[in-house]
Amino acid sequence: MTNTQIPAAPPQPKVPEAAPATRPSARERGTRLLAALFLAPTIVGIVIFTVVPIVGSIVLSLFHWNVIDSPTFAGAANYREMVNDSTVLVSFRNTLVFMVLAVALQLLIALTLALAVNGRMPVWLRSVFRSAFFFPLILSAASISVVMKYLFNQDFGLVNWLLGLIGIAPVPWLTSENSAMAAVVLVYVWQQFGFSFLLFVGGLNNIPKEIHEAASLDGATGLRKHLSVTLPLLSPTLLVASVVGIINALQVFEQPYVLTNGGPGDSTRTVVMVIYETAFEQLRFGEASAVGVLLFVLVMAVTALQFRLSRRFVHYQ
């Protein structure tokens, strides 16, 4: 009878011990503290001037309050009254129409001028055009609207005088329901297109020249090159310009308030004008807050829809 030897088990590999947690060094702690100090003003500003007013408006929309008396709880009554108010509904319709017209015209003019300025021209002339197109954006919208109100005057305005030189009869720009919205859109676009213009100029400068040269070698020229090459590569910039443009257009106030005061009738009355009139002229802050909450929801919904559609139409390099 032989003795069988059982083979010894192979040695188990040693599991490396976890490195003990080290405390951040004094330099790392200082860097984190410095970053927190730089971020603190922005965070505090957002909380105070954005988060708190939004929450306050939502709460106030559930009350009746005229500043003089104590607020009384109203629940959803302000929202029901808003839905049944024809002026509020017309203001939302006007705002949406204004948004479509103004943003489309603004992006078209800005993109066309950006392509023209980005073409072959002296550097000094390019700088002059950039400054000239951006200059209206730094001016007060109210002061511009006051000047434009005189320029669009039917009787002695410069616009109708120029039209008369080519045989066109005076146009009642600010007193006709058919032309008042057009005048407001033109004034708004004239002031705002400079921002989109600068965005497009920056986007065009970021497109590699080799891509355009390759497209030219393939036979693409003129409009075909811009549609097939420039616009797809410029789509991220176009998304930013359209998002900012739509958000600003939905909150338009100064131009229609100064030019037409919402008239004639309610043809140019916007949502922000209704909020202002309801709160500060009629002292119905609860109802005004309800309209503001609905406008906030509309802005968020339109912005979310834009980013949803951007997955299909925006191309990143």
Side-chain angles (χ1 to χ4, degrees), residues 151-227:
L151 294 181
F152 280 100
N153 186 277
Q154 180 179 356
D155 299 323
F156 54 82
L158 178 63
V159 175
N160 278 340
W161 180 78
L162 293 175
L163 293 177
L165 295 179
I166 57 177
I168 299 178
V171 179
W173 291 103
L174 305 177
T175 57
S176 171
E177 293 185 0
N178 297 325
S179 56
M181 180 62 76
V184 174
V185 169
L186 291 175
V187 174
Y188 177 87
V189 171
W190 181 83
Q191 184 183 15
Q192 294 292 327
F193 82 90
F195 176 77
S196 301
F197 167 77
L198 286 186
L199 287 180
F200 289 141
V201 169
L204 290 172
N205 289 332
N206 287 330
I207 298 177
K209 296 181 179 180
E210 294 79 6
I211 298 179
H212 284 292
E213 293 174 356
S216 300
L217 292 175
D218 290 338
T221 58
L223 182 61
R224 181 182 175 186
K225 182 194 296 185
H226 291 315
L227 293 177

Side-chain angles (χ1 to χ4, degrees), residues 48-75:
I48 294 177
F49 298 107
T50 302
V51 177
V52 172
I54 291 175
V55 175
S57 297
I58 295 174
V59 174
L60 188 58
S61 68
L62 303 177
F63 290 82
H64 290 308
W65 188 44
N66 61 1
V67 181
I68 301 173
D69 302 323
S70 300
T72 57
F73 184 74

